[in-house]
């Protein structure tokens, strides 16, 4: 992205939604529902790595603050 006023790269962070597309066997994993009750934050950038680890079947290190966006399918 380019700043239209200066022509320089636009590097500021935004809160715009970003699509996250995943393919795979939906009988094993599916996206968790975002709870809108205030108890849990919606998905964020910090959740991408834990989600990839879940797909790979690897444990999430305690140092990671995010959570997997997936749950086991029924």
């Amino acid at each position: 992205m380019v700043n239209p006023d200066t022509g320089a790269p636009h590097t500021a962070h935004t809160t715009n939604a970003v699509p996250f597309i995943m393919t795979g066997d939906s009988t094993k994993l599916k996206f968790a529902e975002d709870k809108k009750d205030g108890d849990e934050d919606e998905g964020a950038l910090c959740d991408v790595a834990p989600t990839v680890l879940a797909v790979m079947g690897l444990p999430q290190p305690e140092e990671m603050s995010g959570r997997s966006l997936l749950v086991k399918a029924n």
Side-chain angles (χ1 to χ4, degrees), residues 14-22 31 43-45 48 69:
T14 67
T15 57
N16 294 336
V18 177
F20 185 88
I21 300 169
M22 187 184 85
F31 280 106
L45 183 60
V48 174
L69 298 173

Side-chain angles (χ1 to χ4, degrees), residues 1-48:
M1 292 174 41
V2 176
N3 182 318
D5 296 328
T6 66
H10 178 74
T11 59
H13 294 275
T14 67
T15 57
N16 294 336
V18 177
F20 185 88
I21 300 169
M22 187 184 85
T23 63
D25 188 349
S26 61
T27 62
K28 294 181 181 178
L29 294 171
K30 65 178 184 174
F31 280 106
E33 296 279 333
D34 270 335
K35 298 177 184 173
K36 304 285 185 187
D37 58 7
D39 287 343
E40 186 177 81
D41 291 333
E42 292 185 9
L45 183 60
C46 64
D47 300 325
V48 174

